[in-house]
Amino acid sequence: MKWYKKGLIGLSVAALLLSVSPFTTVVTAYTKEVSLANVDKQIISVVNQTIKELVPNHNLEPVAVSEYKNDFGVQIIEFELSDESSRVLVNKKSKQLISAYIPFTGEEVDPAIMENVLDQLKRYDSELEFELSHATRLKEVEDKRDEWIFYDKKSYANHLVMDNKTGNLIEVQTDYRISKLNPKLVQVAKKALVDMKGKSGAVKHVERHTAKRYNYDFFTITFANGNRVKVDGRTHKVYVVYLKEKDKGSASTSFTSAKVKKTATPLVKKLFNIDLKDYTVPKPIYAYAFKKGSKPTISHPEVGGYINDKGEFYQFWIDTGEAIFN
């Protein structure tokens, strides 16, 4: 039986959309290959039922199996399907589906589905342009997600999410016209960069990300020098600050918790109005996390940060327990 170290990429929508959090979606785990013939028949049945439900017109079947523990200690059976891209994850102990991810080319997407989505997009913003590149059929049991994710040819980050049951467009992330951007949001972003001892300059690019499931409307403002800030379009609250000029390519985890907390405290207070006095700093893996309580909440969010080898923070983000922003 062959053992090897594998980077486990969680199949959450955040991960698929390249907006992953360093705390929850990437884990180094020991993974072992498993013979399909040795897998519990009830688990195989769950996989086949999932395939039939999500892609009834595709002749997919499990062809490879691996087993590992996630970062919560749950033993997972992961199935690779015959298209070599689709994955189905099942909890080994409960024999219940965890998630399923099945990619589609643009040509494979039902034109009627796409017509419905684009019609809703026009009602959302008549000036937006979207050309389908590819799509993903996603189901996640714990988060109660049963969705289609559609990706734009212009940018992989641009995407639309449709609830499969209702057919409603529930999430949109697209480029946004700089000329339409509220000047107050630019002022907030520039102040955040100054608070981080960074520079701003001219706005180069703006993305707008709305999601009904989280009830948010965010603008990511990127400046000509590469620095960027994510701001809530309604409350003007800052959720992410990134300084490209201080990003040296790797996040250092060599500093003591006391030193890191001392450095972060005044910055976090200015940026997010969060006092880190009662926050703990667990041993970092590849990013520092400031925590209060067992899990993040809106009133006591978790704060994450990357630090360079000079001891300077070049990125902060917050996790409210509802969604992680980075």
Side-chain angles (χ1 to χ4, degrees), residues 125-187:
D125 188 335
S126 60
E127 295 183 4
L128 289 179
E129 297 179 356
F130 188 92
E131 186 177 1
L132 179 64
S133 167
H134 59 288
T136 294
R137 184 73 173 85
L138 180 72
K139 183 169 185 176
E140 286 193 338
V141 175
E142 184 176 353
D143 292 337
K144 298 180 180 179
R145 293 180 180 174
D146 184 7
E147 303 166 349
W148 282 90
I149 308 168
F150 306 98
Y151 301 95
D152 191 3
K153 282 187 177 180
K154 292 181 182 178
S155 170
Y156 184 75
N158 290 351
H159 68 276
L160 312 173
V161 181
M162 183 194 82
D163 183 275
N164 182 64
K165 293 181 179 178
T166 65
N168 292 335
L169 188 62
I170 59 174
E171 187 169 341
V172 177
Q173 179 167 316
T174 59
D175 296 338
Y176 192 79
R177 292 179 184 271
I178 296 175
S179 59
K180 292 179 61 178
L181 184 64
N182 184 343
K184 291 183 179 180
L185 297 181
V186 178
Q187 294 174 9

Side-chain angles (χ1 to χ4, degrees), residues 4-5 12 18 39 72 76 100 114 137 147 179-180 196 199 224 255 271 276 305 315:
Y4 56 96
K5 291 195 79 175
S12 66
L18 299 183
V39 178
F72 299 105
I76 293 175
M114 207 61 226
R137 184 73 173 85
E147 303 166 349
S179 59
K180 292 179 61 178
M196 279 275 286
K199 300 177 181 179
F255 299 100
L271 293 172
L276 294 181
Q315 182 171 355

Side-chain angles (χ1 to χ4, degrees), residues 259-269 276 290 313 316:
K259 176 177 175 57
V260 168
K261 186 174 182 179
K262 182 178 180 180
T263 302
T265 295
L267 297 174
V268 170
K269 181 65 176 178
L276 294 181
F290 302 90
F313 276 96
F316 279 112

Side-chain angles (χ1 to χ4, degrees), residues 189-190 192-194 196-205 221-229 241-247 314:
K190 288 185 174 182
L193 292 175
V194 170
M196 279 275 286
K197 300 179 181 179
K199 300 177 181 179
S200 56
V203 176
K204 182 180 180 181
H205 182 253
I221 303 170
T222 302
F223 294 87
N225 59 8
N227 292 344
R228 66 175 180 269
V229 181
V241 184
Y242 167 74
L243 300 183
K244 185 177 181 180
E245 69 258 29
K246 293 185 179 181
D247 181 355
Y314 63 84

